Amino acid sequence: MTVTRNPISVHPLSVPASSEVDFGAEINNVDVENMTALRGTVTSYDDEFAHIRDVFYHNNVVVLKNQSGLSPKAQYELTKLFDPAAKGYGHGKTFKNKKSILFSEARTVPHQPEVQIIGNGFIPVYEGLENIELSHPHHKHFHRSHVPDAEDIDYTRFYRWHLDAALYDLNPPRVTSLMAVSVPKGRRQTLRYDDGTGDELDVPLGTTAFASSYRMYDILSEEDKEFVRTSRVEYAPHPYIWMSPAKSRSDGLGLYCDSLELPYSELPAIDESKIQILPMVWKNPVTGKLALQIHPSAVRRIHLKDGTVIDDLEKVRKVVHDLQRPGISPRYIYPHDWEEGDLVLFNNHGVLHSVVGAFNKEEVRLFRQCNIAASEPPLGPDAVVA
């Protein structure tokens, strides 16, 4: 069966002339609701997804415009198309542990548990939930220092640079989809790094900031490229519970070492076989490009090619920060200016992202997020891409 429709159009994302962002695309004329329902019976929808997948892996952040009517079910099914054997929400169930730093950030859609509701403000009724109080993560609750309260409306920071992954037991999801249902508009903020560099970035209110982990790798010295290609990162067990008392650097890129992490004896039961030791560098399955893909706040040890292990947490965090910090320079950041109906898909194996911004309580923001634990681990730097 064939259906004739307007062809989808693809354009690079709009960035300022001063930007050196080299990733991202906008896609128009996609009927996601029908594409997910009719693939396999309507040939054009099969071809359309193949096109979207190719654009996705070449651009790593894609914005599907005008998706306001998209159901949580279709959002989940589109996300799953990138990994049909994937199962279950990417963070599993531990994000509901009250000690987890993720505990207060999301509410689960009852009829589609892989989809989470995030945002800010009071929502009377939505997708089977009633009287929802959402709170946009604010850096003052996670950073060691914060923007002074008197400046909080005009200035902000990156909250926490990360990839979406449990990093314990479950494989990191390949794709995250983020759907803008309700978006407050009308003002911008100045993002400050507050790390002594003077770096700042003009951002839309409540933006999601993206950094390319491919660029992060490409700008390393040849010596550092060799180091990251041959080293692996060990993540803490139950990392979002373990790190919960610790405080972040002002650039959102990793934690200070103040000995605040929870001792392993206070974590849920630990199964040593579920602790993840992953390559520092992950390969794009379509382009073969290499990404420096590390969750800086969850790292615990570095395993070197000669078999030795860097166990000193302060040194581990410094090594990772020194490797990643150049890649989050203002000229490399894409801060998405959300519009209602935007559905953003991003390569969770090839970009880092961060929540940004400070809202008033009256500024209501409603988003849906979906990612699914991958069926296989990420591809390492020596993997063969067909």
Side-chain angles (χ1 to χ4, degrees):
M1 179 179 177
T2 303
V3 174
T4 302
R5 302 183 321 281
N6 291 329
I8 66 174
S9 62
V10 179
H11 308 283
L13 292 175
S14 177
V15 297
S18 60
S19 172
E20 295 182 31
V21 167
D22 60 355
F23 61 93
E26 178 181 304
I27 305 180
N28 287 277
N29 300 330
V30 179
D31 181 356
V32 174
E33 194 76 30
N34 279 321
M35 183 180 70
T36 56
L38 298 176
R39 277 189 74 253
T41 60
V42 178
T43 303
S44 59
Y45 284 125
D46 293 332
D47 295 341
E48 199 166 272
F49 176 71
H51 188 188
I52 291 170
R53 183 181 183 276
D54 186 67
V55 171
F56 173 82
Y57 276 114
H58 280 87
N59 292 276
N60 301 300
V61 176
V62 297
V63 184
L64 278 64
K65 302 296 287 187
N66 304 310
Q67 301 297 324
S68 292
L70 186 69
S71 67
K73 182 176 186 291
Q75 181 180 353
Y76 160 73
E77 289 180 348
L78 175 63
T79 309
K80 189 175 173 65
L81 284 177
F82 288 88
D83 187 1
K87 294 181 180 179
Y89 181 52
H91 279 285
K93 296 180 179 179
T94 57
F95 82 104
K96 292 184 178 292
N97 186 301
K98 290 185 178 181
K99 291 183 179 180
S100 171
I101 59 171
L102 306 177
F103 174 72
S104 64
E105 295 182 6
R107 301 290 182 271
T108 300
V109 174
H111 55 87
Q112 196 66 65
E114 300 84 0
V115 178
Q116 312 303 317
I117 298 169
I118 58 177
N120 188 75
F122 177 71
I123 312 295
V125 179
Y126 187 69
E127 294 294 344
L129 297 173
E130 297 182 356
N131 300 321
I132 313 168
E133 283 282 359
L134 299 174
S135 180
H136 186 74
H138 194 294
H139 74 271
K140 70 181 178 182
H141 301 302
F142 186 57
H143 290 203
R144 182 198 273 176
S145 66
H146 63 86
V147 172
D149 291 343
E151 302 176 8
D152 192 58
I153 295 300
D154 296 320
Y155 295 92
T156 188
R157 290 181 180 174
F158 300 120
Y159 176 68
R160 179 174 61 245
W161 285 105
H162 65 287
L163 59 140
D164 289 334
L167 298 172
Y168 175 80
D169 187 21
L170 303 174
N171 291 321
R174 293 181 186 174
V175 177
T176 293
S177 62
L178 200 51
M179 172 72 196
V181 179
S182 178
V183 180
K185 303 290 285 186
R187 61 186 177 94
R188 299 180 71 85
Q189 294 182 300
T190 299
L191 184 146
R192 300 197 310 219
Y193 287 61
D194 285 338
D195 61 355
T197 63
D199 281 350
E200 294 185 342
L201 184 67
D202 177 65
V203 296
L205 176 66
T207 184
T208 304
F210 295 95
S212 169
S213 300
Y214 301 104
R215 168 82 78 166
M216 203 172 276
Y217 173 81
D218 287 344
I219 62 178
L220 293 175
S221 68
E222 291 305 313
E223 181 181 3
D224 283 343
K225 286 180 179 177
E226 168 69 14
F227 174 79
V228 298
R229 285 197 307 268
T230 58
S231 300
R232 297 177 297 154
V233 168
E234 178 180 333
Y235 290 100
H238 306 291
Y240 304 99
I241 301 172
W242 169 77
M243 73 173 75
S244 58
K247 297 300 178 182
S248 173
R249 293 173 176 266
S250 59
D251 58 11
L253 192 69
L255 304 175
Y256 286 107
C257 281
D258 299 323
S259 300
L260 296 176
E261 295 78 16
L262 290 179
Y264 284 9
S265 61
E266 295 184 23
L267 300 180
I270 298 171
D271 182 337
E272 295 287 337
S273 69
K274 295 180 179 180
I275 292 176
Q276 297 207 338
I277 303 174
L278 298 175
M280 282 189 170
V281 172
W282 300 3
K283 180 173 284 188
N284 186 302
V286 172
T287 68
K289 285 180 64 67
L290 300 181
L292 177 62
Q293 193 69 341
I294 304 170
H295 191 314
S297 296
V299 293
R300 179 57 192 89
R301 296 180 177 88
I302 295 175
H303 294 246
L304 305 178
K305 66 177 179 180
D306 65 1
T308 60
V309 177
I310 302 176
D311 186 58
D312 181 280
L313 185 57
E314 186 169 9
K315 183 175 181 180
V316 169
R317 285 174 171 164
K318 184 181 187 306
V319 168
V320 171
H321 187 270
D322 288 349
L323 291 168
Q324 291 185 311
R325 175 58 177 86
I328 65 161
S329 297
R331 65 186 180 275
Y332 298 141
I333 302 305
Y334 172 67
H336 184 58
D337 193 357
W338 288 99
E339 296 181 346
E340 292 180 4
D342 283 355
L343 176 65
V344 171
L345 308 176
F346 57 89
N347 180 0
N348 204 45
H349 290 194
V351 299
L352 297 181
H353 66 287
S354 177
V355 170
V356 178
F359 290 100
N360 294 318
K361 188 174 182 180
E362 297 75 23
E363 291 176 310
V364 175
R365 183 181 195 258
L366 179 59
F367 279 49
R368 295 199 313 257
Q369 181 227 55
C370 179
N371 57 68
I372 310 167
S375 58
E376 297 178 349
L379 297 177
D382 298 324
V384 177
V385 174

